[in-house]
Amino acid sequence: MTRILSYSLAINEALHQMMEIDSSVFLIGQGVKSSWYVGNTARGLIERFGPERVIDTPVSENAMTGAAVGAAIVGMRPVIVHPRLDFMFYAFDPILNQAANWSYMYGGSSHVPVVIWGIINRGGEQAAQHSQAIHAFFTHVPGLKVVMPSTPYDAKGLMIAAIRDNNPVVYIDDRWLYGIEDHVPEEIYEVP
């Protein structure tokens, strides 16, 4: 059965569903408790899953991403949210040198099932250093899959596929799409 969902609530539903069925999935990042940072994408998660699985971090992109990559290496499935895509520059070491290379360095015997979720936050009062769209950069990094949904249907399906992937996925969305509505299935599904 499908119903109309906004883009941001489609992401929220994907996170709820995956955290419900897999206890190794957790959300970590700046502002995950604040709708000002992440819109409705994390609404109700901390109330449902608690602060052990919805971790609001200090402002330290490198540290929080390194923690998520480390957790993925030991078997967890973290979703690390960066509410300002441009500030992912600070997290390039754990993303590019660790997550992207890990499986290659271990001959495919070890994986990093991490979702690195960056939000483009252009326009409004965001200023130049909060409004850059650096997503094309990630497409040139061997070992990373990069997805960028454009509809609520894709937002949910790609988030689920990213969480289920055994290798790092950079999931990029644009805050300007959060209000778009579309038909979205209630069940769990993947968009390749």
Side-chain angles (χ1 to χ4, degrees):
M1 185 163 107
T2 67
R3 71 270 186 255
I4 302 291
L5 273 186
S6 70
Y7 183 101
S8 62
L9 289 178
I11 293 172
N12 179 268
E13 184 168 274
L15 293 169
H16 263 96
Q17 289 177 330
M18 294 308 294
M19 290 176 76
E20 192 70 49
I21 66 168
D22 187 344
S23 62
S24 69
V25 177
F26 69 96
L27 180 64
I28 181 172
Q30 299 169 26
V32 295
K33 296 190 297 187
S34 167
S35 60
W36 188 81
Y37 273 93
V38 295
N40 287 323
T41 61
R43 187 175 75 182
L45 290 175
I46 197 160
E47 293 82 8
R48 171 67 184 94
F49 299 103
E52 298 81 24
R53 292 186 61 203
V54 180
I55 304 165
D56 196 24
T57 67
V59 178
S60 180
E61 289 81 1
N62 195 4
M64 68 183 191
T65 305
V69 169
I73 289 169
V74 299
M76 301 298 289
R77 291 189 173 272
V79 177
I80 172 81
V81 62
H82 290 269
R84 304 288 185 272
L85 186 68
D86 348 39
F87 287 91
M88 284 174 64
F89 284 124
Y90 292 118
F92 273 12
D93 180 54
I95 296 170
L96 308 182
N97 292 325
Q98 304 308 320
N101 289 316
W102 196 263
S103 183
Y104 299 116
M105 293 188 305
Y106 288 89
S109 66
S110 182
H111 300 279
V112 185
V114 63
V115 177
I116 304 155
W117 172 17
I119 301 170
I120 297 173
N121 196 51
R122 58 198 170 93
E125 73 288 350
Q126 297 305 314
Q129 73 274 30
H130 289 73
S131 302
Q132 299 171 85
I134 63 167
H135 46 288
F137 176 85
F138 294 105
T139 64
H140 299 281
V141 179
L144 293 180
K145 293 177 183 172
V146 181
V147 299
M148 190 170 178
S150 61
T151 68
Y153 180 88
D154 284 346
K156 179 179 176 180
L158 284 170
M159 180 61 80
I160 290 169
I163 292 170
R164 287 180 165 171
D165 200 298
N166 285 326
N167 292 298
V169 177
V170 176
Y171 180 101
I172 300 172
D173 74 67
D174 189 324
R175 195 177 307 273
W176 281 13
L177 299 177
Y178 281 7
I180 293 174
E181 295 182 338
D182 194 6
H183 291 275
V184 178
E186 285 183 21
E187 69 271 5
I188 293 174
Y189 65 92
E190 293 184 33
V191 171

